[in-house]
Amino acid sequence: SGTAQAGALPQPFSAQYAVRINNLKIGESEVVLETQNDGRYLYRSSSRSTGIAKWFRGDTVHESSLFLLHRERPRPLQYRFDHAGGKKERHALLNFDWRENTGSNTVEGHTWEMKIPDDALDKMIVQIAVMMDLNAGKRQLSYAVADGGKLKEYDFAVVGEDQVTVPAGAFATVKLQRLRKDNDRTTHFWCAPSLNYLPVRIEQIEHEDGVTFLSELKRTTLKR
């Protein structure tokens, strides 16, 4: 059951990752795709600091996207972001109105609207769109994303193929790079075809301070 038809939405799944900064384990994250009983979908993530980092920060971050499939593409309905604990308490809500093609942002009690194109995504379901498009054989990926009250372009390209070993096991992967206009960070994703192109490793290098963030898959319910 591990092979979806080209470009199909993956089956509901959960995936847990170990998160490190400069090789020091600082937390765990989980992403979950679930169906709602009204034909809509919820894609959500939660991350929390663990180990020694917990004593310093104690943060939790919850992010979610409620969406439906429209012309076989994910179409966001509501995006939420909640960061609690630590010094960075922040809450954001983005509601999508597809009759008016507007996104309504509410951050810290202030609301404003923005126009959005027909194919706009939010920051969460970009991940689902990438999995679907890689599954459909695409190698250059570009998305309009409503992010932080602005419309941004997220571009990715397949830059190679790698065999990687992570806590969840050994995987053949395609290596994807986020293409940025600025050079302040480099982000790579190693996506496993056997898991419908779920990322099994994500690495982000901040060039200014040389910090490396690494997430590696610990376990998933996606069938190989």
Side-chain angles (χ1 to χ4, degrees), residues 48-83:
R48 61 190 182 91
S49 35
T50 58
I52 195 159
K54 192 173 180 181
W55 295 101
F56 293 112
R57 304 208 26 194
D59 291 39
T60 57
V61 178
H62 295 283
E63 225 175 333
S64 67
S65 175
L66 182 68
F67 69 98
L68 45 76
L69 282 183
H70 173 75
R71 296 180 185 152
E72 298 178 12
R73 304 292 300 160
R75 172 171 262 194
L77 301 169
Q78 185 179 73
Y79 166 83
R80 303 185 72 98
F81 176 90
D82 294 291
H83 185 161

Coordinates of all heavy atoms in Angstrom, one line a residue, residues 48-83:
R48 N 8.8 20.2 20.5 CA 9.0 20.6 21.9 C 10.5 20.4 22.2 O 11.1 19.5 21.6 CB 8.2 19.8 22.9 CG 8.4 18.3 22.8 CD 7.4 17.5 23.6 NE 7.7 16.1 23.6 CZ 8.5 15.5 24.5 NH1 9.0 16.1 25.5 NH2 8.8 14.2 24.4
S49 N 11.0 21.2 23.1 CA 12.4 21.0 23.5 C 12.5 19.9 24.5 O 11.6 19.6 25.2 CB 13.0 22.3 24.0 OG 12.1 23.0 24.8
T50 N 13.6 19.1 24.4 CA 13.8 18.0 25.3 C 15.2 18.1 25.9 O 16.1 18.9 25.5 CB 13.7 16.7 24.5 OG1 14.7 16.7 23.5 CG2 12.3 16.5 24.0
G51 N 15.5 17.2 26.8 CA 16.8 17.1 27.4 C 17.3 18.4 28.0 O 16.5 19.2 28.6
I52 N 18.5 18.8 27.8 CA 19.1 19.9 28.5 C 18.4 21.2 28.0 O 18.2 22.2 28.7 CB 20.6 20.0 28.3 CG1 21.2 21.0 29.3 CG2 21.0 20.3 26.9 CD1 22.7 20.7 29.6
A53 N 18.0 21.2 26.7 CA 17.4 22.4 26.1 C 16.1 22.8 26.8 O 15.7 23.9 26.9 CB 17.1 22.2 24.6
K54 N 15.4 21.7 27.4 CA 14.2 22.0 28.1 C 14.4 22.9 29.3 O 13.5 23.7 29.6 CB 13.6 20.6 28.5 CG 12.2 20.7 29.0 CD 11.7 19.2 29.2 CE 10.3 19.2 29.7 NZ 9.9 17.8 29.9
W55 N 15.5 22.8 29.9 CA 15.7 23.6 31.1 C 15.9 25.1 30.7 O 15.6 26.0 31.5 CB 17.0 23.1 31.8 CG 16.8 21.7 32.4 CD1 17.2 20.6 31.9 CD2 16.1 21.4 33.6 NE1 16.8 19.5 32.6 CE2 16.1 20.0 33.7 CE3 15.4 22.1 34.5 CZ2 15.5 19.3 34.8 CZ3 14.8 21.4 35.6 CH2 14.8 20.0 35.7
F56 N 16.4 25.3 29.5 CA 16.7 26.7 29.1 C 15.4 27.3 28.5 O 15.2 28.5 28.6 CB 17.8 26.7 28.1 CG 19.1 26.4 28.7 CD1 19.8 25.2 28.3 CD2 19.7 27.2 29.6 CE1 21.0 24.8 28.9 CE2 21.0 26.8 30.2 CZ 21.6 25.7 29.8
R57 N 14.7 26.5 27.8 CA 13.6 27.1 26.9 C 12.2 26.6 27.3 O 11.3 27.4 27.5 CB 13.9 26.8 25.4 CG 15.3 27.3 25.1 CD 15.5 27.7 23.7 NE 14.4 28.1 22.9 CZ 14.5 28.2 21.6 NH1 15.6 27.9 21.0 NH2 13.5 28.7 20.9
G58 N 12.0 25.3 27.3 CA 10.7 24.8 27.6 C 9.6 25.2 26.5 O 8.4 25.3 26.9
D59 N 10.1 25.4 25.3 CA 9.1 25.8 24.3 C 8.3 24.7 23.7 O 8.7 23.6 23.7 CB 9.9 26.4 23.1 CG 10.6 27.7 23.3 OD1 11.2 27.8 24.4 OD2 10.6 28.5 22.5
T60 N 7.1 25.1 23.3 CA 6.3 24.2 22.4 C 5.8 25.0 21.2 O 5.4 26.2 21.4 CB 5.1 23.6 23.1 OG1 4.2 24.6 23.6 CG2 5.5 22.7 24.3
V61 N 5.8 24.4 20.0 CA 5.4 25.1 18.8 C 4.3 24.1 18.2 O 4.6 23.0 17.9 CB 6.5 25.4 17.8 CG1 5.9 26.0 16.6 CG2 7.5 26.3 18.5
H62 N 3.1 24.7 18.0 CA 2.1 23.9 17.3 C 1.7 24.7 16.0 O 1.5 25.9 16.0 CB 0.8 23.7 18.1 CG 1.1 22.9 19.4 ND1 1.2 21.6 19.4 CD2 1.3 23.3 20.7 CE1 1.4 21.1 20.6 NE2 1.5 22.1 21.4
E63 N 1.6 23.9 14.9 CA 1.3 24.5 13.6 C 0.3 23.6 13.0 O 0.4 22.4 13.1 CB 2.6 24.6 12.8 CG 2.8 25.9 12.0 CD 4.1 25.9 11.3 OE1 5.1 25.2 11.7 OE2 4.2 26.6 10.3
S64 N -0.7 24.2 12.3 CA -1.7 23.3 11.6 C -2.3 23.9 10.4 O -2.3 25.2 10.3 CB -2.8 22.8 12.6 OG -3.6 24.0 12.9
S65 N -2.7 23.1 9.5 CA -3.3 23.6 8.3 C -4.6 22.7 8.0 O -4.4 21.5 7.9 CB -2.4 23.5 7.1 OG -3.1 23.9 5.9
L66 N -5.7 23.3 8.0 CA -6.9 22.6 7.6 C -7.1 22.9 6.1 O -7.0 24.0 5.6 CB -8.1 23.2 8.4 CG -9.5 22.6 8.1 CD1 -9.5 21.1 8.6 CD2 -10.6 23.4 8.7
F67 N -7.3 21.8 5.3 CA -7.3 22.0 3.9 C -8.2 21.0 3.2 O -8.7 20.0 3.8 CB -5.9 21.9 3.2 CG -5.3 20.6 3.3 CD1 -5.3 19.7 2.1 CD2 -4.6 20.1 4.4 CE1 -4.7 18.5 2.1 CE2 -4.0 18.8 4.4 CZ -4.1 18.0 3.2
L68 N -8.5 21.2 1.9 CA -9.3 20.3 1.1 C -8.5 20.1 -0.2 O -7.5 20.8 -0.5 CB -10.7 20.7 0.9 CG -11.0 22.2 0.5 CD1 -10.6 22.4 -1.0 CD2 -12.5 22.5 0.7
L69 N -9.0 19.1 -0.9 CA -8.4 18.9 -2.3 C -9.3 19.6 -3.3 O -10.5 19.4 -3.3 CB -8.3 17.4 -2.6 CG -7.1 16.6 -1.9 CD1 -7.1 15.2 -2.4 CD2 -5.8 17.3 -2.2
H70 N -8.7 20.4 -4.1 CA -9.4 21.2 -5.1 C -8.6 20.9 -6.4 O -7.5 21.3 -6.6 CB -9.4 22.7 -4.8 CG -9.9 23.6 -5.8 ND1 -11.3 23.6 -6.1 CD2 -9.3 24.4 -6.7 CE1 -11.5 24.5 -7.1 NE2 -10.3 25.0 -7.4
R71 N -9.3 20.3 -7.4 CA -8.6 19.9 -8.6 C -7.3 19.1 -8.4 O -6.3 19.4 -9.0 CB -8.3 21.2 -9.5 CG -9.6 21.9 -10.0 CD -9.3 23.1 -10.8 NE -10.5 23.8 -11.1 CZ -10.5 25.1 -11.4 NH1 -9.4 25.8 -11.3 NH2 -11.7 25.7 -11.6
E72 N -7.4 18.2 -7.4 CA -6.3 17.3 -7.1 C -5.1 18.1 -6.5 O -4.0 17.6 -6.6 CB -6.0 16.4 -8.2 CG -7.1 15.5 -8.7 CD -6.8 14.7 -9.9 OE1 -5.6 14.6 -10.2 OE2 -7.7 14.1 -10.4
R73 N -5.4 19.3 -6.0 CA -4.3 20.1 -5.4 C -4.7 20.4 -3.9 O -5.9 20.6 -3.7 CB -4.0 21.4 -6.1 CG -3.7 21.3 -7.5 CD -2.3 20.6 -7.7 NE -1.2 21.3 -7.1 CZ 0.0 20.7 -6.8 NH1 0.1 19.4 -7.1 NH2 0.9 21.4 -6.3
P74 N -3.8 20.5 -3.0 CA -4.2 20.9 -1.6 C -4.6 22.4 -1.7 O -3.9 23.2 -2.3 CB -3.0 20.6 -0.8 CG -1.8 20.5 -1.7 CD -2.4 20.1 -3.0
R75 N -5.7 22.7 -1.0 CA -6.1 24.1 -1.0 C -6.4 24.5 0.5 O -7.3 23.9 1.1 CB -7.4 24.3 -1.8 CG -8.0 25.7 -1.7 CD -9.1 25.9 -2.7 NE -8.6 26.7 -3.8 CZ -9.4 27.3 -4.7 NH1 -10.7 27.2 -4.6 NH2 -8.9 28.0 -5.7
P76 N -5.6 25.4 1.0 CA -5.8 25.7 2.5 C -7.0 26.4 2.8 O -7.5 27.3 2.0 CB -4.5 26.6 2.8 CG -4.2 27.2 1.5 CD -4.6 26.3 0.4
L77 N -7.6 26.1 4.0 CA -8.8 26.8 4.5 C -8.4 27.6 5.8 O -8.9 28.8 5.9 CB -9.9 25.8 4.9 CG -10.3 24.9 3.7 CD1 -11.2 23.8 4.2 CD2 -11.1 25.8 2.7
Q78 N -7.6 27.1 6.6 CA -7.2 27.8 7.8 C -5.8 27.3 8.3 O -5.6 26.1 8.4 CB -8.2 27.6 9.0 CG -7.9 28.4 10.2 CD -8.9 28.2 11.3 OE1 -9.0 27.1 11.9 NE2 -9.8 29.2 11.5
Y79 N -4.9 28.2 8.6 CA -3.6 27.9 9.1 C -3.4 28.6 10.4 O -3.8 29.7 10.7 CB -2.5 28.5 8.1 CG -1.1 28.6 8.7 CD1 -0.3 27.4 8.7 CD2 -0.6 29.7 9.3 CE1 1.0 27.5 9.2 CE2 0.6 29.8 9.8 CZ 1.4 28.7 9.8 OH 2.7 28.7 10.3
R80 N -2.9 27.8 11.4 CA -2.7 28.3 12.7 C -1.2 28.1 13.1 O -0.6 27.1 12.8 CB -3.5 27.6 13.8 CG -5.0 27.6 13.6 CD -5.7 26.9 14.8 NE -5.6 27.7 15.9 CZ -6.5 28.5 16.3 NH1 -7.7 28.6 15.7 NH2 -6.4 29.3 17.4
F81 N -0.7 29.0 13.9 CA 0.7 28.9 14.5 C 0.6 29.4 15.9 O 0.1 30.5 16.2 CB 1.6 29.8 13.7 CG 3.0 29.8 14.2 CD1 4.0 28.9 13.8 CD2 3.4 30.7 15.2 CE1 5.3 28.9 14.3 CE2 4.7 30.7 15.7 CZ 5.6 29.8 15.3
D82 N 1.1 28.5 16.8 CA 1.1 28.8 18.3 C 2.4 28.5 18.9 O 2.8 27.3 18.9 CB 0.0 28.1 19.0 CG -1.4 28.6 18.6 OD1 -1.7 29.7 18.9 OD2 -2.1 27.8 17.9
H83 N 3.2 29.5 19.3 CA 4.5 29.3 20.0 C 4.3 29.7 21.4 O 4.0 30.9 21.7 CB 5.5 30.1 19.3 CG 6.9 29.9 19.8 ND1 8.0 30.2 19.1 CD2 7.4 29.3 20.9 CE1 9.1 29.9 19.8 NE2 8.7 29.3 20.9

